[in-house]
Amino acid sequence: METALTLAGFVALTALSVWLHVRGTSAAHAPACEPAGTCPRCRAPVPAGAACCPRCGVPQQLYSLIATPTALGEKDLGARAHAVVRADMCVGCGTCVAACPEPGALFLAGKRATVNRAACVGHGECAAACPVGAIMLATGDAVHRVEVPEIGPDFQTNVPGIYIVGELGGRGLIKNAINEGKVAVEQIATELARERPPGDADIYDLLIVGSGPAGLSAGLEALRRGLRYAVLEQGSLSETVRKYPRRKLLFAEPISIPLYGDLWVADASKEALLKVWETIVARTGLSVRTGQRVLNVTRTGALLEVETGEARLRARRVVLATGRRGTPRRLGVPGEELEKVLYDIAEMEGFRGRRVLVVGGGDSAVESALGLANQAGTTVTLSYRGDQFARIKERNREKLEAASAAGRVRVVLRSQVREIRHDRVVLDVQGETELLPNDDVIVRIGGDAPYAFLERLGIRIVQKDVPLVDESARAG
């Protein structure tokens, strides 16, 4: 009973904090941020070190990526390149340490790979081996070249009426996603008020694609402002968070959201965060239509037509908040809807001591299996329907053969998953049925990249060189 009351209190406090954020009632806890000069949104002067624009009140950190100029030409690594580890992406699997040919140039410090700048000579083997793309090479001031949609200060793309917020726009932090969803809808509501559109009951003011933190924040702001809206989700509510691959904590401390108040989710698991979203949806009546995969968005006159697998909906504005992982290809077997089934890995340490099945025959599947095999006590099985790994890098082939010979990864070729159960997986191995004891299933069989979808809509994808704080670099 005491545990239940504690959880109920936690959920109530968190729900209240998030609702206060969308109501825009608190600016007292806004942290300092670096951008200064002119506010990209309203063009008002912003004093150096100011967290928010003094005129429109919007946190200036939201525009750090948007304001970065488009990159031109190739990156010049020069003669003394060195590795840089992105702390926000590193999963601590140790694959890079094993790949580095220079003793002591890379090592694990806690949950993160760390670079010894004095020993690193820029071979690049670590960057090539990293299964999550968390390592890059740089010289002098470290920069990371990223591909992102072209977005303006109002979060509108080059396609009029289509907006992008959250992780899909290149910024993965939940606090930024929440802020971007709210700020984008504020701008949309202002524009619609000026247009004074007719009250056609068949036309939405706004359709929001995705029910993660950015999508739900956008939906709550649309609800607050009285817009006719709907949140479309191809899976279940908050599918992005529900399938988030971290098993442990999402946050180590409260997130202070500039202007909108504190989101108190200290020591929270993804299950606790999901409970928060579900509580807010239930209490506010937020309209979330699940099982609605958006296939296309086209313009018809002054309106946008959104095509899902079940309907064609018309709207004046569309906000895309789908995340960067795209639509993973699924196995299509009973039990795939279980929480234990994941399509990506963000923190391999969380799988220590567990029985993990990785499914796939490409580099991503092999690299995931190798990274998991580095975790203490983890039992790793790699299942592939083919009779050989024909599409993987030679380096990965050699590492997999070594791991298999050492008993660290069990490779099962000509096998297919037939059913996923809570404590085991039913495998068809060369026509024979095998019941495999199992705690987690990692499916790495490809999928539809989100940027390919954006390009089909006419949205331009550009490259930008984003400055990195090289926190992992050490003199020795």
Side-chain angles (χ1 to χ4, degrees), residues 37-39 42-47 53-55:
T38 303
C39 175
C42 71
R43 311 308 301 172
V46 179
C53 172
R55 177 187 294 172

Side-chain angles (χ1 to χ4, degrees), residues 296-433:
N296 200 11
V297 181
T298 56
R299 179 165 293 283
T300 304
L303 300 176
L304 294 165
E305 185 173 89
V306 177
E307 177 186 355
T308 73
E310 299 181 359
R312 289 179 179 271
L313 309 173
R314 294 186 298 164
R316 296 181 174 89
R317 301 289 190 275
V318 172
V319 169
L320 302 177
T322 56
R324 293 171 63 90
R325 294 181 177 88
T327 303
R329 189 172 297 127
R330 297 176 182 264
L331 297 172
V333 300
E336 192 169 8
E337 74 284 353
L338 294 175
E339 292 288 332
K340 64 187 281 185
V341 181
L342 306 171
Y343 301 90
D344 199 358
I345 302 176
E347 193 171 86
M348 292 189 182
E349 186 190 48
F351 294 88
R352 284 183 177 178
R354 298 180 68 82
R355 302 165 297 180
V356 185
L357 172 67
V358 180
V359 183
D363 283 307
S364 62
V366 171
E367 289 163 355
S368 294
L370 292 171
L372 289 164
N374 285 336
Q375 308 312 306
T378 302
T379 302
V380 182
T381 302
L382 176 59
S383 169
Y384 180 45
R385 64 182 181 179
D387 55 10
Q388 61 178 325
F389 294 97
R391 298 179 290 109
I392 64 174
K393 299 182 182 72
E394 186 59 31
R395 177 177 57 250
N396 282 337
R397 187 188 313 280
E398 294 171 357
K399 291 179 180 178
L400 181 61
E401 290 174 354
S404 177
R408 296 169 52 237
V409 177
R410 180 194 174 202
V411 179
V412 187
L413 299 174
R414 296 171 62 187
S415 64
Q416 294 190 61
V417 177
R418 294 304 184 193
E419 183 183 354
I420 301 172
R421 301 175 184 174
H422 287 281
D423 61 347
R424 66 192 61 207
V425 173
V426 180
L427 280 180
D428 181 326
V429 183
Q430 301 183 34
E432 300 290 332
T433 298

Side-chain angles (χ1 to χ4, degrees), residues 5-15 264-269 272-273 275-276:
L5 289 174
T6 301
L7 176 61
F10 165 77
V11 170
L13 281 172
T14 309
W264 185 273
V265 284
D267 297 334
S269 65
L273 185 59
K275 186 66 175 178
V276 171

Side-chain angles (χ1 to χ4, degrees), residues 63-71 144 146 148 151 171 462-467:
Y63 303 111
S64 62
L65 182 58
I66 292 174
T68 301
T70 300
H144 174 42
V146 297
V148 293
I151 303 172
R171 292 175 61 84
V462 298
Q463 292 186 335
K464 295 192 174 187
D465 286 338
V466 181

